[in-house]
Amino acid sequence: MTDLDAETEFLGEWGRFQQQTFFLLCLTVIPNAFTALSIVFVADTPPHRCLVPAHVNLSAAWRNSSIPLEEDSHGGGPRPSRCSRYRLGDIRNFSDGGLLPGVDVNLSTVATEGCVDGWEYDRTTYDSTISSEWNLVCDEGWKKPMSSSVVFCGYLLGALVSGQVADRFGRKIVLVVSIGAHSVFATILAFSSSWTMFCVIYFIVALAHTSRTGSAFVLGTEILSTRVRKIFSTVGGNMFFCVGYMLLPLAAFFIRGWRMLLLALALPSFLLLTLWWCVTESPRWLLSQGRAEEAEAIVRDAAKKNQIEPPAVIFGPSHNECKPERRKAHNICDLLRTRNIRWISLTLWVIWNTLTVAYYALSLNTSNVHGNKYLNCFLSAAVEIPAYILSWIMFRWCSRRRSLFSTLFMGGLFLLLTLLVPANLVHVAVALEMMGKFAVTTAFSIMYAYTVEVYPTVLRNTALGACSMASRIGSIVAPYAIYLRSYSISLPYILIGSLTVLSGLLSLLLPESNGMPLPDTITHMQDFPGCCKKTPYKLTQTEENEPAAEGKCPVVS
C-alpha cells in the first residue's frame, strides 16, 4: 500500500496550490443554490381571483361582490375565492335590474362558476411568475409542485450517471463539461415559451448541476490534505453555497420578473469555464488508473507553485510498473455486492433520503412562512452559516455517528415541537422551524463529508453519486410534502419531523470513520454496524504481494 498523503506531505498544508484549488472549487458551489431554490420565487403563486372582464357592464357594487367568500384553510376568516365566481349572467341581470348585492339579493342563492375568463393576479410582490404567466392555479395547481419535482428528477438521473462517468474519465473533465452544460441550459430556461418546455429544460439544468457538484466535491476531497479536506468538505463549499443562497432573495427582491431573474442568475456561471486552465485533475484518481507520470507532473507543478523543491522520486517504482488494464472495473452494482458494503449503502441511502426531504421541504416552504417572503428566504439561508461552522467543529473533534444522531434527532424534535405552539405565537413557530432547518443543515453537511470518508477511492465518486441519486427520491417528494399544507398546516411538520427523528436513531448503526485513513479498496472499509473503537485497516499478505506478483497498480489510501 502507498499512502498518497504521506508521499505528498512535502507540499505542505496551505500553499498557493492548495489555496487556489480550495477557493476555485468553492466558487463552483455558489450557483448551486440557484438551481433548486430559485423556484421559491420563480414559481410562487401571488394572490389571485377570477377575472371579471372589463367589457362586462357591471356596477361597481356588483363587480366587487362578484367573487364569493370562502373559509381560509389556514385560518384568518373568510377570503375571496381564488377559483370561482358568481355566474356573470345572473350578476348582470341583477345589476341591470338595479338590485343591490346583499340587500335585494341573497348572494348565497346565486350559482357559481369557474374562472372561465382567467384570473387577475396581485402584482404587488411580483411582476410575473410561471404560476401567473401560465395560470398554474386551481385545477392546474398540481403543476407548481411538479415544477420543483422535475428538478429533483434531473438530480436523480445526474447522480446515477455522473459518478460513474467521473470515476471512469476523471473528475476535472466532468466538472468543466457539466459547468458548460449548466450555464447554457440555465440561460435557455429564461426563454421558455410554455410550462412543458420549462420543465424539460429545467430537467437538463438539474442533471448538469448534479454532475458539477459531485465532481467538484470529490476533486477537492482527493487533492487537499487531511486537515484542509475536512474544512473544504464541511465549511468551505457549504459556506459558498450559503453565499449563493443569500444572494438569491436579494436578486429576486430587485428583479421581480421570473425571466430576467433566471437570466441574471445564469450568465455569471459562464465565468467558471476558466477552471479548465486553473484546476488540475486528481492525482489520487490518476494513480488509481495507473497514470503515475501524469500524477507526478501535477504534484511537481504544485510544488513549484508552493515554491518547494520536490524530492527526486515522488511515487515509488510500483506506480510506474502498474498495468491499468489488469485492474478490475467497478460500477454502481459493487455498492450492493457484499454484505458489509450493502448494509452501509442501504442505511446511508435512507438517511440521505430523509435529509433531502427535510432540507428542501423547509427551504421551499419559506414563501409560505408568516412574514416577508424575501426576508424569510434570507433568514433561511443565514441560519446555515452557523450550521456549517458547527458541522466543521463536530467533524473535526467529534464522533461521526454521534454527530449525525444528535443533529438529526434535534432537527426532527424542533419540527415536532412546532405542533404544540398556539396559533397566535407565530414568531415562536417560525423560530422553531428555523432551528429545525439549522439542525438539518448541520446534519446534511456532515453527511456529505462522512460519505466520502467511508467509501474507497475506486468507488468514491460512484458511491457519492448513488447516495445523491437515492436521496432524490425524497427530494422529488419534498414539494408535495409542502403541498400537504392545503389539507392541514400540521401535516408537513408531522411527516418531516417523524422521519428525521427515526433517521437519527438509524445513524447509530453506521461505522465510525473519525481519524481513519481514506480507504482505497472495498476490503478496507469499516464493518457494519460500526463501533467507536477505531481499528485502522491493514493489508493482508496477499494484498502486499499483489502488485509485484501480478503487475497491478498499488492501492492508494
Side-chain angles (χ1 to χ4, degrees):
M1 184 189 81
T2 61
D3 188 340
L4 183 62
D5 289 333
E7 289 179 323
T8 59
E9 189 176 6
F10 65 90
L11 290 175
E13 291 268 345
W14 192 237
R16 180 187 168 194
F17 172 75
Q18 290 91 345
Q19 294 170 11
Q20 177 178 301
T21 301
F22 184 97
F23 287 110
L24 288 178
L25 290 179
C26 284
L27 281 176
T28 68
V29 181
I30 291 179
N32 289 358
F34 305 154
T35 304
L37 300 178
S38 60
I39 202 75
V40 170
F41 302 106
V42 169
D44 195 18
T45 305
H48 57 278
R49 54 185 283 178
C50 289
L51 175 67
V52 178
H55 67 268
V56 177
N57 187 22
L58 288 177
S59 66
W62 277 108
R63 185 173 289 275
N64 291 334
S65 302
S66 61
I67 306 298
L69 298 178
E70 60 184 16
E71 289 297 323
D72 189 350
S73 60
H74 299 161
R79 61 171 175 80
S81 174
R82 298 182 176 185
C83 301
S84 64
R85 68 186 184 189
Y86 291 120
R87 188 177 297 167
L88 286 188
D90 296 340
I91 295 295
R92 191 164 44 237
N93 292 335
F94 294 139
S95 178
D96 292 343
L99 302 178
L100 295 176
V103 177
D104 302 313
V105 178
N106 182 2
L107 293 176
S108 62
T109 63
V110 180
T112 60
E113 62 184 1
C115 300
V116 294
D117 294 306
W119 289 260
E120 56 179 327
Y121 296 90
D122 185 348
R123 305 290 178 180
T124 303
T125 305
Y126 304 106
D127 292 337
S128 67
T129 67
I130 64 170
S131 296
S132 63
E133 183 165 332
W134 295 317
N135 293 324
L136 309 184
V137 294
C138 300
D139 291 341
E140 300 290 302
W142 60 271
K143 291 183 178 180
K144 177 184 173 180
M146 176 62 76
S147 303
S148 298
S149 293
V150 162
V151 181
F152 300 119
C153 288
Y155 284 173
L156 190 151
L157 181 60
L160 174 65
V161 175
S162 63
Q164 297 181 79
V165 173
D167 276 339
R168 181 169 182 178
F169 297 105
R171 286 55 163 133
K172 176 182 173 179
I173 188 170
V174 174
L175 171 64
V176 177
V177 169
S178 58
I179 286 174
H182 181 273
S183 302
V184 169
F185 284 98
T187 302
I188 297 174
L189 185 66
F191 298 95
S192 301
S193 59
S194 66
W195 178 76
T196 302
M197 178 182 175
F198 179 87
C199 289
V200 171
I201 302 300
Y202 213 177
F203 177 87
I204 300 173
V205 170
L207 191 154
H209 162 94
T210 305
S211 302
R212 182 185 66 186
T213 303
S215 299
F217 187 80
V218 173
L219 182 59
T221 300
E222 293 185 343
I223 289 179
L224 299 171
S225 61
T226 303
R227 185 176 65 87
V228 181
R229 179 190 304 147
K230 292 180 180 180
I231 300 174
F232 172 80
S233 59
T234 52
V235 179
N238 289 328
M239 277 294 191
F240 279 73
F241 173 87
C242 195
V243 169
Y245 194 174
M246 290 189 291
L247 287 175
L248 174 61
L250 293 177
F253 179 80
F254 291 104
I255 306 174
R256 300 300 180 97
W258 71 271
R259 294 183 186 274
M260 289 304 298
L261 175 61
L262 287 181
L263 202 58
L265 297 175
L267 291 179
S269 295
F270 283 99
L271 297 174
L272 296 175
L273 291 173
T274 57
L275 262 65
W276 179 260
W277 297 277
C278 303
V279 174
T280 68
E281 181 56 87
S282 164
R284 187 183 297 272
W285 177 81
L286 289 171
L287 287 174
S288 73
Q289 300 299 305
R291 295 158 63 177
E293 291 183 1
E294 295 177 56
E296 183 163 329
I298 289 174
V299 174
R300 290 190 180 279
D301 184 63
K304 183 178 179 181
K305 288 182 179 179
N306 288 355
Q307 297 182 345
I308 294 172
E309 184 66 30
V313 177
I314 298 178
F315 303 122
S318 56
H319 287 293
N320 299 317
E321 296 170 358
C322 76
K323 299 177 181 180
E325 65 274 7
R326 299 286 301 274
R327 293 182 60 85
K328 178 183 180 296
H330 291 280
N331 56 52
I332 196 170
C333 296
D334 288 303
L335 298 177
L336 299 172
R337 197 171 302 279
T338 64
R339 178 183 179 277
N340 186 55
I341 194 172
R342 178 167 59 249
W343 279 110
I344 290 175
S345 297
L346 291 175
T347 304
L348 286 175
W349 292 347
V350 171
I351 298 174
W352 270 76
N353 231 316
T354 302
L355 275 172
T356 311
V357 171
Y359 179 83
Y360 282 109
L362 293 174
S363 298
L364 297 174
N365 192 46
T366 53
S367 61
N368 298 317
V369 178
H370 177 79
N372 184 277
K373 299 176 187 293
Y374 302 102
L375 179 60
N376 287 337
C377 185
F378 185 85
L379 290 176
S380 180
V383 299
E384 295 193 7
I385 294 178
Y388 294 138
I389 295 174
L390 177 62
S391 70
W392 169 67
I393 294 173
M394 298 180 76
F395 201 78
R396 182 169 183 179
W397 285 292
C398 301
S399 161
R400 305 294 189 252
R401 294 190 306 167
R402 292 171 184 170
S403 298
L404 279 174
F405 166 73
S406 59
T407 50
L408 282 166
F409 188 85
M410 292 305 297
L413 185 61
F414 285 134
L415 295 177
L416 292 175
L417 286 176
T418 60
L419 304 175
L420 305 178
V421 178
N424 60 321
L425 298 179
V426 176
H427 297 294
V428 176
V430 172
L432 285 172
E433 182 167 342
M434 292 301 171
M435 292 169 69
K437 173 74 182 298
F438 170 85
V440 167
T441 302
T442 305
F444 215 152
S445 178
I446 293 172
M447 198 63 181
Y448 254 102
Y450 172 77
T451 302
V452 170
E453 281 191 348
V454 79
Y455 281 108
T457 301
V458 293
L459 276 172
R460 189 166 292 123
N461 222 129
T462 298
L464 185 63
C467 288
S468 181
M469 177 188 68
S471 73
R472 298 313 168 191
I473 299 173
S475 59
I476 291 170
V477 175
Y480 291 96
I482 301 302
Y483 195 64
L484 292 175
R485 286 176 58 91
S486 58
Y487 302 100
S488 171
I489 296 180
S490 302
L491 283 178
Y493 299 104
I494 294 174
L495 174 66
I496 299 169
S498 301
L499 288 175
T500 307
V501 168
L502 292 175
S503 293
L505 296 172
L506 185 62
S507 68
L508 293 174
L509 293 176
L510 291 170
E512 182 57 61
S513 64
N514 185 24
M516 305 295 290
L518 289 179
D520 180 71
T521 67
I522 295 175
T523 56
H524 296 156
M525 293 179 64
Q526 296 287 343
D527 292 331
F528 178 93
C531 60
C532 294
K533 182 180 178 182
K534 296 188 287 289
T535 54
Y537 59 75
K538 294 182 179 179
L539 290 178
T540 63
Q541 190 66 34
T542 303
E543 289 176 313
E544 290 175 347
N545 294 332
E546 263 188 9
E550 300 184 17
K552 294 185 177 181
C553 297
V555 294
V556 183
S557 64

